Amino acid sequence: MSENDNQGIPSPDGAADVIDTDYEIGQDNIETQIGPFGLDIHNPVFAISGAAVVIFVLYTLLMPEQASSVFSAMFSFTTHNFDWFLIGSADIVVIFALLLIVTPFGSVRLGGAEAAPDYTYMGWFAMLFAAGMGIGLMFYGVSEPLSHFSSSFGGTAAENGVRTDWAPLGAAGGDQAAAVQLGMAATIYHWGLHPWAIYAIVALALALFTYNKGLPLTIRSAFYPLLGDRVWGWPGHLIDIIAVFATLFGLATSLGLGATQANAGLNELFGVPVGETSQIVLIIIITAIALVSVLRGLDGGVKVLSEINMGLAALLAVFTLIVGPTVFLITFFWDSLVAYVEYLPALANPFGREDVNFSQGWTAFYWAWWISWSPFVGMFIARVSRGRTVREFIVCVLLIPSLVCVLWMSIFGGTAIHQVLNDGFTGAQDAELPLQLFRMLGELPLASITSFIGIVLVVVFFVTSSDSGSLVIDTITAGGKVDAPVPQRVFWCVFEGAVAIALLLGGGLAALQSMVISTGLLFTLVLLVMCWCIFRGLQSERANMR
């Protein structure tokens, strides 16, 4: 097995359909030395992306009030005017991904007919899960089921003919059982097939055009069927720059959420003050830990941490299932799946929605968030998925993680809902979002230990996300090279933390959400075109197999 020049990516095995292009990996790169550090950066993607990020951080820190107003206006404009586009686009991606499983395209192997997987299933799943969902599941695992249950139970409210409540669909005013079902259906809708389909499509596009077509591992490569050799010019530069922005702000949002939850947990256990100062210190400390992981590389850093985190997450979930209302939770899991299937068509409807707060404030934000994460998660999944067939890839990236997310939400959200309905405990329900997980665990045995494990999970998910993100952004800004000098990854790792800090200071969670939905909207267009490019790429692969 040979290596493509200058990028460290294995060449296709047993596949003759490699794209013939005169482009050479790194031909637009600038190689230089700054003191002891070597640089190998793409011109102009690195320069424009890096400069824009630095300017953004300075603007947010120097003019926080103005920045906060701008972020708020961006969020409002995007969610009010493009919610239908985000919801409809996500639906298209899910349908396309599911069709790939049942069509002959599923037999195409990533890397060529003779390619073998680089990782075991266990190692592969651990990296998929840690990269794709980590911090979000910790932050929303209790709070979202509780929130949707509460808003559904509270019924609808309107002012001047416009609904002002946050309940999904038509709510379930006063009906506890219906409110629980609708609340869980809405939760699973946000954490099931749709986000994982978004990740799977971006990852498949990158893996197909890198491992089977011999192109660089960068977002622009997926657009070769549409743009041809123009993909190496300014159209491709713009695609990669949008991907860098989407990845950076998607990561910064998650890092901000992780810092607020870790801060809340440390306050609950050890009395650490809650506030911006504590959260900034946490971001700095955890970014420093991420730097160590960056220096250890993919196998020695992210892979090891991902497997540790998967073990700890499984331990916490099993403990909660056993000491919590076990029989209720098992039934709750299946009831939630049935409710998801029942309500999915209505929840996924992009037009004529009356539940504007839910569809715009929850769903549109979530889809923009997942889409902004998709260049990062998709490229990372592509890096570790060579040797899988398309069918195996889609099943393992789409269906299995979706079921794991449903199980997680059912265990933690179900326990919290059971505490409200059967025990009369509303401490988790009444707490601030970052605290709800810890308040729920506080009602179970060994609360101090499980809460500490929860904090560790948040921190390690933070580290794996930061490390993986810096790896991906560095690959994009190095023109597709995966063996670029380590100082470049260090630069992006540091600036991921800096952007998270800047956004927290420039408006807190609202600023984080505003930037992620704005960049996610841009990348949605890229995602839809990717579907067509994948279809064309798989067509040529199938023709070559005959």
Side-chain angles (χ1 to χ4, degrees):
M1 183 166 60
S2 63
E3 304 281 326
N4 285 338
D5 291 342
N6 300 321
Q7 63 169 334
I9 295 290
S11 296
D13 288 339
D17 196 38
V18 175
I19 290 175
D20 184 18
T21 175
D22 293 332
Y23 182 81
E24 295 183 9
I25 309 302
Q27 72 176 34
D28 295 326
N29 283 22
I30 297 172
E31 296 186 43
T32 187
Q33 194 85 12
I34 300 178
F37 305 117
L39 295 178
D40 189 353
I41 56 179
H42 187 279
N43 178 38
V45 173
F46 183 94
I48 294 175
S49 303
V53 168
V54 171
I55 291 169
F56 170 83
V57 170
L58 292 175
Y59 165 69
T60 309
L61 293 177
L62 295 175
M63 292 182 282
E65 291 186 6
Q66 184 183 26
S68 180
S69 299
V70 170
F71 296 151
S72 177
M74 289 168 60
F75 183 85
S76 178
F77 176 79
T78 305
T79 54
H80 283 72
N81 293 285
F82 294 99
D83 56 321
W84 62 271
F85 178 66
L86 290 164
I87 294 172
S89 298
D91 293 342
I92 291 170
V93 170
V94 171
I95 294 168
F96 180 68
L98 292 174
L99 286 174
L100 290 179
I101 297 176
V102 298
T103 61
F105 292 142
S107 61
V108 173
R109 186 172 296 277
L110 299 175
E114 300 171 10
D118 296 325
Y119 297 96
T120 64
Y121 274 116
M122 184 58 68
W124 189 39
F125 286 148
M127 288 189 283
L128 293 182
F129 200 71
M133 285 294 171
I135 292 174
L137 280 179
M138 297 301 297
F139 194 85
Y140 289 109
V142 170
S143 64
E144 188 166 352
L146 274 179
S147 176
H148 295 327
F149 159 69
S150 300
S151 61
S152 298
F153 186 67
T156 61
E159 188 174 311
N160 298 324
V162 179
R163 277 179 54 179
T164 56
D165 63 274
W166 284 80
L169 302 179
D175 187 335
Q176 279 189 348
V180 168
Q181 287 193 330
L182 179 56
M184 284 306 298
T187 300
I188 295 170
Y189 172 54
H190 291 152
W191 293 87
L193 294 177
H194 283 72
W196 284 101
I198 290 166
Y199 293 161
I201 290 305
V202 176
L204 178 59
L206 292 168
L208 177 66
F209 286 96
T210 298
Y211 299 133
N212 294 66
K213 307 299 185 182
L215 299 180
L217 183 61
T218 187
I219 303 295
R220 70 175 74 198
S221 294
F223 292 84
Y224 195 89
L226 179 67
L227 298 173
D229 281 335
R230 286 177 297 162
V231 82
W232 313 126
W234 272 104
H237 299 340
L238 290 174
I239 290 169
D240 280 349
I241 290 167
I242 291 171
V244 170
F245 288 159
T247 300
L248 199 61
F249 290 115
L251 276 169
T253 299
S254 297
L255 302 187
L257 293 177
T260 57
Q261 188 171 35
N263 188 191
L266 290 169
N267 174 262
E268 191 84 348
L269 286 181
F270 306 113
V272 174
V274 173
E276 286 182 350
T277 302
S278 297
Q279 290 160 17
I280 290 169
V281 169
L282 276 170
I283 291 174
I284 292 171
I285 291 172
I286 300 172
T287 300
I289 299 172
L291 284 175
V292 176
S293 181
V294 164
L295 296 172
R296 287 180 58 85
L298 181 63
D299 291 340
V302 176
K303 181 173 180 288
V304 172
L305 287 174
S306 297
E307 290 175 346
I308 291 172
N309 237 26
M310 192 174 184
L312 284 175
L315 180 65
L316 187 61
V318 170
F319 175 82
T320 305
L321 177 63
I322 292 173
V323 304
T326 308
V327 176
F328 170 82
L329 292 177
I330 293 172
T331 306
F332 189 75
F333 170 75
W334 294 109
D335 289 346
S336 298
L337 271 180
V338 171
Y340 169 60
V341 174
E342 177 185 348
Y343 285 109
L344 180 59
L347 289 166
N349 174 28
F351 305 110
R353 297 286 288 267
E354 295 182 357
D355 53 343
V356 288
N357 281 336
F358 174 81
S359 61
Q360 295 175 3
W362 279 100
T363 305
F365 163 65
Y366 262 134
W367 291 173
W369 190 14
W370 299 144
I371 290 168
S372 71
W373 260 56
S374 63
F376 146 53
V377 180
M379 186 172 290
F380 186 76
I381 291 174
R383 281 285 302 269
V384 298
S385 298
R386 183 180 179 276
R388 311 288 178 182
T389 66
V390 169
R391 184 171 293 112
E392 177 187 15
F393 176 88
I394 295 292
V395 167
C396 291
V397 176
L398 174 60
L399 300 183
I400 293 175
S402 294
L403 280 174
V404 172
C405 287
V406 175
L407 183 62
W408 182 276
M409 291 293 184
S410 298
I411 291 174
F412 291 93
T415 300
I417 290 173
H418 185 273
Q419 290 173 351
V420 173
L421 298 181
N422 296 74
D423 304 335
F425 174 74
T426 60
Q429 188 179 30
D430 298 336
E432 296 289 325
L433 281 183
L435 262 180
Q436 290 184 340
L437 170 67
F438 303 108
R439 291 286 165 83
M440 182 276 288
L441 292 174
E443 292 300 295
L444 302 178
L446 306 176
S448 296
I449 296 174
T450 54
S451 294
F452 184 73
I453 291 174
I455 295 170
V456 171
L457 280 169
V458 172
V459 170
V460 181
F461 275 134
F462 190 137
V463 170
T464 54
S465 296
S466 181
D467 185 359
S468 307
S470 60
L471 168 73
V472 167
I473 294 174
D474 180 44
T475 301
I476 297 172
T477 56
K481 290 188 177 182
V482 298
D483 55 356
V486 173
Q488 294 172 204
R489 286 176 63 188
V490 171
F491 169 84
W492 289 113
C493 185
V494 169
F495 266 88
E496 285 161 20
V499 170
I501 291 171
L503 286 170
L504 279 174
L505 293 174
L509 184 59
L512 294 166
Q513 292 176 329
S514 300
M515 286 308 302
V516 78
I517 200 167
S518 301
T519 53
L521 179 65
L522 283 175
F523 201 77
T524 304
L525 295 168
V526 174
L527 181 66
L528 291 175
V529 178
M530 267 187 178
C531 293
W532 182 84
C533 292
I534 289 172
F535 173 72
R536 296 290 296 164
L538 290 174
Q539 264 190 328
S540 66
E541 287 294 309
R542 284 287 300 167
N544 190 58
M545 290 169 64
R546 294 193 183 102

